Amino acid sequence: MKRVVVTGMGAISPFGKGVDVLMDSLFANESAVKSVPALAEIGSLRTRVAAIVPGVDPKEIPRKFRRSMSQMSVYATLACQEAVAMSHITEGHCSSGDLGVSIGSTVGSPIATHAFYKDFLSSTTLDNVRATLFFQIMSHSCASNVAHVLGITGRLLAPSSACSTSTQAIGYGYEMIASGKQDIMLCGGSDEFHLLSAATFDIINAASINYNERPHMTPRPFDVHRDGVVMAEGCGILVLESFESAVNRNAPILAEVIGFSTVADHVSIADPNVDSIEICIRKALLDANISPHEVHYVNAHATGTVLGDIAEAGAITRVFGNNIALSSLKGHLGHTMAASGALETIATIEMMRRSTLIPTRNLDNIDPLCEGPRFLQNFDKAEIEVAIKNNFALGGVNSCVVIRRLKNDR
């Protein structure tokens, strides 16, 4: 099996465009959560907050490509362009067949889908349907549009597993490179905000509703006063590459991916299960061929729901005991859904590179039912050699990826 490294990263986050903007905002401990007046237009919808991407201009992408893109595909394309530039990937690499794509979303574009049905159900005619509509709403829209723009001819994967999407995308890309099927993979996830995305969590009583007038105070992962998810949008992309390929190209090596696990939780399609989360973490460690005491930091999924945070904290304590450093970035970013795993993996890699761990924003009073790990409530200077990124999705899809600071890189 080949070693797999990260050689590029790209981000479109609720803070704006670019990895630097993302990290500057996280290290400034800022909140991207804002009041969204349009949410009040939906009858019976209680949540009024979200984290929306600012300052992205779709016209950066030529019109001949942009016509088949929804907002989420625009995000994916721009993030991929940043990651490709960072990794020094050329057009020749993209067209070689040695570079593939593993980029997913929760569903096809909800904005385009809504616009189609709103028009069709009122007019019962197809007169206004554009020929490019399907390419915006198909489940593999982001992956296909990225491949189209960049001229990629390698393998194309498009995982669709809600909150686990981009962690699975990274994991599948890692396995493909490790097994020698591809040399380089663009991996990640992208999602766009829609009012009904927030409604999904509101209907199951999992959306934050108590901080509508104080948006910067929610979500509150692991806090005793947490009250649910805050929806967000964005895209995170990582360039994964075989170690040999990276060295031969003289590409910048940012970190190494050493393990991955994804498991199905059959106990409940909606509620997280501590046993399944524990199994997922242990399988990731086994795949990485390391023991729990070799892990220094866990970047938690931790969306701020009552049951989810308890289950995850319990599983982490079972595996790592009481000394593992733990934080969640949802208090800063909200829940970017399919993008969350990739955006938070990018942040985790940057924390390792900068030897500084970012705390959980809005964690003022740790819920006694979550106690166990060493919750970070302040910035922590630490040399982190190995970190784990968790993501767990509705539908019973649990995923973990293990990242290590690169050893013997040249």
Side-chain angles (χ1 to χ4, degrees), residues 164-200:
S164 268
T165 296
S166 54
T167 301
Q168 282 192 330
I170 292 168
Y172 295 151
Y174 153 75
E175 291 179 338
M176 200 160 290
I177 295 169
S179 62
K181 304 300 183 184
Q182 296 273 243
D183 288 337
I184 309 172
M185 293 287 293
L186 292 176
C187 304
S190 186
D191 258 331
E192 63 193 34
F193 176 77
H194 187 271
L195 303 179
L196 294 181
S197 302
T200 299

mmCIF file of all heavy atoms in Angstrom, residues 164-200:
data_model
loop_
_atom_site.group_PDB
_atom_site.id
_atom_site.type_symbol
_atom_site.label_atom_id
_atom_site.label_comp_id
_atom_site.label_asym_id
_atom_site.label_seq_id
_atom_site.Cartn_x
_atom_site.Cartn_y
_atom_site.Cartn_z
ATOM 1 N N SER A 164 -21.509 13.077 6.576
ATOM 2 C CA SER A 164 -20.321 12.235 6.397
ATOM 3 C C SER A 164 -19.722 12.344 5.003
ATOM 4 O O SER A 164 -18.692 11.717 4.723
ATOM 5 C CB SER A 164 -20.675 10.766 6.679
ATOM 6 O OG SER A 164 -20.435 10.416 8.021
ATOM 7 N N THR A 165 -20.343 13.093 4.122
ATOM 8 C CA THR A 165 -19.985 13.073 2.707
ATOM 9 C C THR A 165 -18.511 13.321 2.439
ATOM 10 O O THR A 165 -17.829 12.524 1.785
ATOM 11 C CB THR A 165 -20.826 14.094 1.915
ATOM 12 O OG1 THR A 165 -22.198 13.713 1.966
ATOM 13 C CG2 THR A 165 -20.381 14.184 0.472
ATOM 14 N N SER A 166 -17.975 14.447 2.908
ATOM 15 C CA SER A 166 -16.607 14.767 2.504
ATOM 16 C C SER A 166 -15.565 13.966 3.266
ATOM 17 O O SER A 166 -14.456 13.757 2.754
ATOM 18 C CB SER A 166 -16.321 16.273 2.610
ATOM 19 O OG SER A 166 -16.604 16.784 3.873
ATOM 20 N N THR A 167 -15.882 13.487 4.463
ATOM 21 C CA THR A 167 -14.955 12.580 5.134
ATOM 22 C C THR A 167 -14.887 11.258 4.376
ATOM 23 O O THR A 167 -13.808 10.680 4.199
ATOM 24 C CB THR A 167 -15.372 12.347 6.595
ATOM 25 O OG1 THR A 167 -15.398 13.602 7.277
ATOM 26 C CG2 THR A 167 -14.378 11.442 7.314
ATOM 27 N N GLN A 168 -16.038 10.779 3.902
ATOM 28 C CA GLN A 168 -16.017 9.606 3.044
ATOM 29 C C GLN A 168 -15.256 9.890 1.746
ATOM 30 O O GLN A 168 -14.479 9.054 1.278
ATOM 31 C CB GLN A 168 -17.439 9.156 2.711
ATOM 32 C CG GLN A 168 -18.139 8.388 3.823
ATOM 33 C CD GLN A 168 -19.407 7.721 3.331
ATOM 34 O OE1 GLN A 168 -20.063 8.200 2.410
ATOM 35 N NE2 GLN A 168 -19.766 6.608 3.954
ATOM 36 N N ALA A 169 -15.467 11.050 1.166
ATOM 37 C CA ALA A 169 -14.783 11.402 -0.083
ATOM 38 C C ALA A 169 -13.264 11.384 0.104
ATOM 39 O O ALA A 169 -12.525 10.896 -0.753
ATOM 40 C CB ALA A 169 -15.245 12.775 -0.568
ATOM 41 N N ILE A 170 -12.803 11.926 1.232
ATOM 42 C CA ILE A 170 -11.369 11.902 1.541
ATOM 43 C C ILE A 170 -10.913 10.456 1.739
ATOM 44 O O ILE A 170 -9.880 10.033 1.212
ATOM 45 C CB ILE A 170 -11.075 12.739 2.800
ATOM 46 C CG1 ILE A 170 -11.320 14.222 2.517
ATOM 47 C CG2 ILE A 170 -9.645 12.512 3.280
ATOM 48 C CD1 ILE A 170 -11.345 15.090 3.761
ATOM 49 N N GLY A 171 -11.702 9.689 2.494
ATOM 50 C CA GLY A 171 -11.333 8.302 2.771
ATOM 51 C C GLY A 171 -11.276 7.446 1.529
ATOM 52 O O GLY A 171 -10.347 6.648 1.340
ATOM 53 N N TYR A 172 -12.267 7.599 0.654
ATOM 54 C CA TYR A 172 -12.274 6.813 -0.585
ATOM 55 C C TYR A 172 -11.121 7.222 -1.502
ATOM 56 O O TYR A 172 -10.522 6.385 -2.190
ATOM 57 C CB TYR A 172 -13.607 6.968 -1.303
ATOM 58 C CG TYR A 172 -14.791 6.399 -0.543
ATOM 59 C CD1 TYR A 172 -16.071 6.938 -0.700
ATOM 60 C CD2 TYR A 172 -14.634 5.342 0.347
ATOM 61 C CE1 TYR A 172 -17.157 6.426 -0.002
ATOM 62 C CE2 TYR A 172 -15.712 4.828 1.048
ATOM 63 C CZ TYR A 172 -16.974 5.369 0.877
ATOM 64 O OH TYR A 172 -18.040 4.865 1.569
ATOM 65 N N GLY A 173 -10.806 8.519 -1.528
ATOM 66 C CA GLY A 173 -9.662 8.972 -2.309
ATOM 67 C C GLY A 173 -8.361 8.406 -1.763
ATOM 68 O O GLY A 173 -7.477 7.976 -2.522
ATOM 69 N N TYR A 174 -8.249 8.410 -0.450
ATOM 70 C CA TYR A 174 -7.076 7.836 0.225
ATOM 71 C C TYR A 174 -6.909 6.363 -0.129
ATOM 72 O O TYR A 174 -5.808 5.910 -0.485
ATOM 73 C CB TYR A 174 -7.243 8.045 1.730
ATOM 74 C CG TYR A 174 -6.562 7.049 2.623
ATOM 75 C CD1 TYR A 174 -5.178 7.074 2.825
ATOM 76 C CD2 TYR A 174 -7.300 6.083 3.296
ATOM 77 C CE1 TYR A 174 -4.555 6.155 3.664
ATOM 78 C CE2 TYR A 174 -6.700 5.168 4.138
ATOM 79 C CZ TYR A 174 -5.322 5.202 4.316
ATOM 80 O OH TYR A 174 -4.712 4.292 5.151
ATOM 81 N N GLU A 175 -7.998 5.604 -0.065
ATOM 82 C CA GLU A 175 -7.915 4.177 -0.381
ATOM 83 C C GLU A 175 -7.565 3.944 -1.848
ATOM 84 O O GLU A 175 -6.836 2.997 -2.185
ATOM 85 C CB GLU A 175 -9.235 3.497 -0.028
ATOM 86 C CG GLU A 175 -9.499 3.433 1.472
ATOM 87 C CD GLU A 175 -10.822 2.791 1.842
ATOM 88 O OE1 GLU A 175 -11.734 2.763 0.989
ATOM 89 O OE2 GLU A 175 -10.945 2.319 2.991
ATOM 90 N N MET A 176 -8.063 4.792 -2.732
ATOM 91 C CA MET A 176 -7.794 4.636 -4.156
ATOM 92 C C MET A 176 -6.320 4.875 -4.463
ATOM 93 O O MET A 176 -5.708 4.165 -5.267
ATOM 94 C CB MET A 176 -8.679 5.591 -4.953
ATOM 95 C CG MET A 176 -8.846 5.202 -6.398
ATOM 96 S SD MET A 176 -10.299 5.989 -7.117
ATOM 97 C CE MET A 176 -11.597 5.093 -6.267
ATOM 98 N N ILE A 177 -5.746 5.869 -3.820
ATOM 99 C CA ILE A 177 -4.324 6.149 -4.026
ATOM 100 C C ILE A 177 -3.468 5.088 -3.352
ATOM 101 O O ILE A 177 -2.489 4.592 -3.932
ATOM 102 C CB ILE A 177 -3.978 7.547 -3.491
ATOM 103 C CG1 ILE A 177 -4.700 8.624 -4.306
ATOM 104 C CG2 ILE A 177 -2.464 7.778 -3.537
ATOM 105 C CD1 ILE A 177 -4.643 10.004 -3.695
ATOM 106 N N ALA A 178 -3.821 4.707 -2.132
ATOM 107 C CA ALA A 178 -3.039 3.709 -1.402
ATOM 108 C C ALA A 178 -2.973 2.386 -2.158
ATOM 109 O O ALA A 178 -1.957 1.687 -2.133
ATOM 110 C CB ALA A 178 -3.634 3.487 -0.007
ATOM 111 N N SER A 179 -4.051 2.059 -2.860
ATOM 112 C CA SER A 179 -4.096 0.796 -3.598
ATOM 113 C C SER A 179 -3.520 0.919 -5.008
ATOM 114 O O SER A 179 -3.500 -0.063 -5.760
ATOM 115 C CB SER A 179 -5.536 0.294 -3.684
ATOM 116 O OG SER A 179 -6.354 1.211 -4.397
ATOM 117 N N GLY A 180 -3.069 2.110 -5.369
ATOM 118 C CA GLY A 180 -2.416 2.301 -6.653
ATOM 119 C C GLY A 180 -3.332 2.528 -7.840
ATOM 120 O O GLY A 180 -2.895 2.504 -8.984
ATOM 121 N N LYS A 181 -4.617 2.785 -7.592
ATOM 122 C CA LYS A 181 -5.554 2.990 -8.700
ATOM 123 C C LYS A 181 -5.455 4.386 -9.304
ATOM 124 O O LYS A 181 -5.803 4.584 -10.468
ATOM 125 C CB LYS A 181 -6.993 2.748 -8.219
ATOM 126 C CG LYS A 181 -7.226 1.380 -7.592
ATOM 127 C CD LYS A 181 -6.933 0.245 -8.563
ATOM 128 C CE LYS A 181 -7.244 -1.105 -7.925
ATOM 129 N NZ LYS A 181 -6.879 -2.217 -8.830
ATOM 130 N N GLN A 182 -5.047 5.356 -8.500
ATOM 131 C CA GLN A 182 -4.829 6.728 -8.973
ATOM 132 C C GLN A 182 -3.627 7.293 -8.240
ATOM 133 O O GLN A 182 -3.318 6.870 -7.109
ATOM 134 C CB GLN A 182 -6.043 7.617 -8.723
ATOM 135 C CG GLN A 182 -7.298 7.215 -9.476
ATOM 136 C CD GLN A 182 -7.390 7.800 -10.876
ATOM 137 O OE1 GLN A 182 -8.255 8.555 -11.217
ATOM 138 N NE2 GLN A 182 -6.453 7.403 -11.734
ATOM 139 N N ASP A 183 -2.952 8.245 -8.875
ATOM 140 C CA ASP A 183 -1.824 8.915 -8.218
ATOM 141 C C ASP A 183 -2.274 10.116 -7.408
ATOM 142 O O ASP A 183 -1.692 10.426 -6.353
ATOM 143 C CB ASP A 183 -0.802 9.377 -9.263
ATOM 144 C CG ASP A 183 -0.035 8.221 -9.882
ATOM 145 O OD1 ASP A 183 0.051 7.152 -9.242
ATOM 146 O OD2 ASP A 183 0.467 8.385 -11.013
ATOM 147 N N ILE A 184 -3.280 10.836 -7.917
ATOM 148 C CA ILE A 184 -3.743 12.072 -7.288
ATOM 149 C C ILE A 184 -5.267 12.076 -7.301
ATOM 150 O O ILE A 184 -5.890 11.625 -8.264
ATOM 151 C CB ILE A 184 -3.230 13.316 -8.051
ATOM 152 C CG1 ILE A 184 -1.715 13.250 -8.278
ATOM 153 C CG2 ILE A 184 -3.599 14.605 -7.308
ATOM 154 C CD1 ILE A 184 -1.174 14.359 -9.184
ATOM 155 N N MET A 185 -5.880 12.596 -6.224
ATOM 156 C CA MET A 185 -7.335 12.727 -6.149
ATOM 157 C C MET A 185 -7.700 14.087 -5.559
ATOM 158 O O MET A 185 -7.104 14.520 -4.566
ATOM 159 C CB MET A 185 -7.951 11.631 -5.280
ATOM 160 C CG MET A 185 -7.845 10.221 -5.833
ATOM 161 S SD MET A 185 -8.935 9.906 -7.238
ATOM 162 C CE MET A 185 -10.557 9.994 -6.454
ATOM 163 N N LEU A 186 -8.681 14.747 -6.167
ATOM 164 C CA LEU A 186 -9.297 15.938 -5.566
ATOM 165 C C LEU A 186 -10.466 15.449 -4.730
ATOM 166 O O LEU A 186 -11.414 14.870 -5.259
ATOM 167 C CB LEU A 186 -9.786 16.900 -6.644
ATOM 168 C CG LEU A 186 -8.736 17.590 -7.500
ATOM 169 C CD1 LEU A 186 -9.404 18.438 -8.577
ATOM 170 C CD2 LEU A 186 -7.840 18.463 -6.641
ATOM 171 N N CYS A 187 -10.414 15.701 -3.427
ATOM 172 C CA CYS A 187 -11.381 15.101 -2.506
ATOM 173 C C CYS A 187 -12.061 16.165 -1.648
ATOM 174 O O CYS A 187 -11.399 17.080 -1.157
ATOM 175 C CB CYS A 187 -10.684 14.100 -1.572
ATOM 176 S SG CYS A 187 -9.780 12.799 -2.417
ATOM 177 N N GLY A 188 -13.366 16.001 -1.434
ATOM 178 C CA GLY A 188 -14.060 16.921 -0.544
ATOM 179 C C GLY A 188 -15.557 16.905 -0.744
ATOM 180 O O GLY A 188 -16.130 15.945 -1.273
ATOM 181 N N GLY A 189 -16.197 17.969 -0.315
ATOM 182 C CA GLY A 189 -17.648 18.066 -0.415
ATOM 183 C C GLY A 189 -18.100 19.501 -0.497
ATOM 184 O O GLY A 189 -17.378 20.429 -0.104
ATOM 185 N N SER A 190 -19.316 19.685 -1.023
ATOM 186 C CA SER A 190 -19.852 21.028 -1.210
ATOM 187 C C SER A 190 -21.355 21.010 -0.976
ATOM 188 O O SER A 190 -22.030 20.039 -1.328
ATOM 189 C CB SER A 190 -19.552 21.514 -2.632
ATOM 190 O OG SER A 190 -19.933 22.864 -2.817
ATOM 191 N N ASP A 191 -21.873 22.047 -0.372
ATOM 192 C CA ASP A 191 -23.315 22.197 -0.185
ATOM 193 C C ASP A 191 -23.697 23.666 -0.241
ATOM 194 O O ASP A 191 -22.881 24.539 0.095
ATOM 195 C CB ASP A 191 -23.775 21.603 1.149
ATOM 196 C CG ASP A 191 -24.443 20.246 0.998
ATOM 197 O OD1 ASP A 191 -25.039 19.992 -0.066
ATOM 198 O OD2 ASP A 191 -24.367 19.431 1.935
ATOM 199 N N GLU A 192 -24.936 23.923 -0.668
ATOM 200 C CA GLU A 192 -25.472 25.275 -0.697
ATOM 201 C C GLU A 192 -26.638 25.370 0.279
ATOM 202 O O GLU A 192 -27.373 24.403 0.484
ATOM 203 C CB GLU A 192 -25.928 25.639 -2.111
ATOM 204 C CG GLU A 192 -27.068 24.769 -2.625
ATOM 205 C CD GLU A 192 -27.302 24.911 -4.126
ATOM 206 O OE1 GLU A 192 -26.306 25.117 -4.857
ATOM 207 O OE2 GLU A 192 -28.463 24.804 -4.568
ATOM 208 N N PHE A 193 -26.810 26.552 0.852
ATOM 209 C CA PHE A 193 -27.887 26.734 1.824
ATOM 210 C C PHE A 193 -29.225 26.934 1.123
ATOM 211 O O PHE A 193 -29.327 27.641 0.123
ATOM 212 C CB PHE A 193 -27.601 27.950 2.705
ATOM 213 C CG PHE A 193 -28.709 28.251 3.671
ATOM 214 C CD1 PHE A 193 -28.868 27.496 4.815
ATOM 215 C CD2 PHE A 193 -29.607 29.281 3.417
ATOM 216 C CE1 PHE A 193 -29.905 27.760 5.706
ATOM 217 C CE2 PHE A 193 -30.643 29.555 4.295
ATOM 218 C CZ PHE A 193 -30.786 28.791 5.445
ATOM 219 N N HIS A 194 -30.241 26.279 1.654
ATOM 220 C CA HIS A 194 -31.614 26.475 1.203
ATOM 221 C C HIS A 194 -32.491 26.500 2.444
ATOM 222 O O HIS A 194 -32.202 25.842 3.452
ATOM 223 C CB HIS A 194 -32.041 25.348 0.261
ATOM 224 C CG HIS A 194 -33.385 25.571 -0.370
ATOM 225 N ND1 HIS A 194 -34.555 25.149 0.219
ATOM 226 C CD2 HIS A 194 -33.735 26.195 -1.525
ATOM 227 C CE1 HIS A 194 -35.575 25.491 -0.560
ATOM 228 N NE2 HIS A 194 -35.105 26.123 -1.619
ATOM 229 N N LEU A 195 -33.577 27.271 2.393
ATOM 230 C CA LEU A 195 -34.450 27.396 3.560
ATOM 231 C C LEU A 195 -34.941 26.043 4.052
ATOM 232 O O LEU A 195 -35.064 25.810 5.255
ATOM 233 C CB LEU A 195 -35.639 28.291 3.213
ATOM 234 C CG LEU A 195 -35.304 29.708 2.722
ATOM 235 C CD1 LEU A 195 -36.583 30.461 2.389
ATOM 236 C CD2 LEU A 195 -34.489 30.461 3.750
ATOM 237 N N LEU A 196 -35.226 25.127 3.124
ATOM 238 C CA LEU A 196 -35.746 23.830 3.533
ATOM 239 C C LEU A 196 -34.664 22.927 4.116
ATOM 240 O O LEU A 196 -34.981 21.933 4.772
ATOM 241 C CB LEU A 196 -36.436 23.145 2.351
ATOM 242 C CG LEU A 196 -37.709 23.845 1.862
ATOM 243 C CD1 LEU A 196 -38.336 23.076 0.712
ATOM 244 C CD2 LEU A 196 -38.714 24.010 2.999
ATOM 245 N N SER A 197 -33.391 23.270 3.895
ATOM 246 C CA SER A 197 -32.323 22.540 4.575
ATOM 247 C C SER A 197 -32.408 22.789 6.081
ATOM 248 O O SER A 197 -32.266 21.872 6.889
ATOM 249 C CB SER A 197 -30.958 22.980 4.040
ATOM 250 O OG SER A 197 -30.866 22.770 2.655
ATOM 251 N N ALA A 198 -32.631 24.042 6.431
ATOM 252 C CA ALA A 198 -32.819 24.364 7.849
ATOM 253 C C ALA A 198 -34.080 23.714 8.389
ATOM 254 O O ALA A 198 -34.122 23.240 9.530
ATOM 255 C CB ALA A 198 -32.883 25.883 8.024
ATOM 256 N N ALA A 199 -35.122 23.656 7.547
ATOM 257 C CA ALA A 199 -36.384 23.064 7.973
ATOM 258 C C ALA A 199 -36.232 21.578 8.293
ATOM 259 O O ALA A 199 -36.921 21.054 9.175
ATOM 260 C CB ALA A 199 -37.439 23.264 6.891
ATOM 261 N N THR A 200 -35.345 20.899 7.577
ATOM 262 C CA THR A 200 -35.129 19.479 7.830
ATOM 263 C C THR A 200 -34.793 19.228 9.290
ATOM 264 O O THR A 200 -35.339 18.320 9.928
ATOM 265 C CB THR A 200 -33.992 18.944 6.934
ATOM 266 O OG1 THR A 200 -34.355 19.115 5.569
ATOM 267 C CG2 THR A 200 -33.719 17.480 7.212
#
